[in-house]
Amino acid sequence: MKIAVSGTYSSGKTSTVMALSHYTGVPRSLARTIREIMPETFPGLKLVDVKPAQFLQLTMRRHTGRAVQEALLGDNFISDGSSLQEWLYGAGRVKFNTMNPNATADNEGGRAKVAPQEMAFFAEVVEQYGQAFKKHVKDTYDAYVHLRHELTITADGHRPMNNEFRATIDTMLLETLDELEIPYHVVGGSMPERLESIAQIFGLKPVMSTAQAIELARQEYGRQDFRMETERVPAQA
């Protein structure tokens, strides 16, 4: 079974997927993050500073990376998010009239009052990306697990600190799953509760205890590189 674990940023997707993979023995998809892609694509640039055309390139790179990893894993894997996220992070910027959600976080509703002229063409391209990414997701995943919007945003200098933007993406994602008629299950609670609930939903047999899986995930998560994109050395070709 091909399962995607979805949710907005700071929802605990990555740690949940890591722990779930250990808990059930089902492999997880290892698509590269934007932080990893940024240094080799736009050295020295922060995500909050990218222009519409640059954001589109990052979106396509992330999507193609996901698609390759999914193909390598065949018909049995757990994915940390999906290409719907890449599309929605662009669609959300269109909805909020800004490429930098941080800049409008204090506005009423979190939106910019006037959209820059360059956003018009960006919106057209994002809509077309959406059509392609929706088809990919529809053709790929058997089901989704959507993590409840429970945790506070991690202020790491990379994620947009805009709660309205975050909530909007969350709503749009579930609406899209309904549109695509992809079954999904909303899960929340502590990490042990999440693992047990997801395993029960899909009939996945645990291969270790929740405590063991969570500890392995904690170690694995801690080995990640959390440096800002501007602090990383571009990967060698």
Side-chain angles (χ1 to χ4, degrees), residues 79-168:
S79 178
D80 182 355
S82 75
S83 292
L84 285 185
Q85 289 173 212
E86 275 64 75
W87 164 61
L88 286 169
Y89 289 152
R93 283 165 167 79
V94 171
K95 195 177 185 70
F96 278 63
N97 295 329
T98 180
M99 292 303 299
N100 180 12
N102 287 338
T104 62
D106 294 330
N107 293 0
E108 184 177 354
R111 294 171 173 80
K113 294 181 179 179
V114 179
Q117 186 175 358
E118 61 189 358
M119 294 296 287
F121 183 69
F122 177 74
E124 292 182 12
V125 178
V126 166
E127 197 279 330
Q128 293 301 311
Y129 273 19
Q131 297 304 314
F133 292 2
K134 286 178 187 179
K135 185 178 189 309
H136 170 77
V137 166
K138 176 70 173 177
D139 292 345
T140 300
Y141 300 106
D142 298 308
Y144 266 68
V145 171
H146 187 73
L147 301 180
R148 285 200 183 98
H149 186 40
E150 296 175 322
L151 306 176
T152 57
I153 302 175
T154 302
D156 61 357
H158 179 79
R159 297 175 175 90
M161 297 298 292
N162 186 329
N163 278 308
E164 290 294 334
F165 181 80
R166 183 193 192 201
T168 296

Side-chain angles (χ1 to χ4, degrees), residues 28-94:
R28 67 182 183 91
S29 181
L30 297 171
R32 292 199 305 162
T33 66
I34 290 296
R35 288 192 195 191
E36 293 171 308
I37 297 170
M38 281 282 294
E40 66 189 49
T41 311
F42 305 117
L45 199 63
K46 294 181 181 179
L47 181 59
V48 295
D49 297 324
V50 300
K51 303 299 182 185
Q54 295 170 323
F55 189 91
L56 292 171
Q57 181 184 168
L58 292 171
T59 299
M60 184 55 69
R61 282 177 177 262
R62 187 89 193 278
H63 165 70
T64 54
R66 283 190 187 278
V68 168
Q69 289 298 314
E70 291 163 356
L72 291 173
L73 289 173
D75 293 327
N76 191 41
F77 63 83
I78 302 165
S79 178
D80 182 355
S82 75
S83 292
L84 285 185
Q85 289 173 212
E86 275 64 75
W87 164 61
L88 286 169
Y89 289 152
R93 283 165 167 79
V94 171

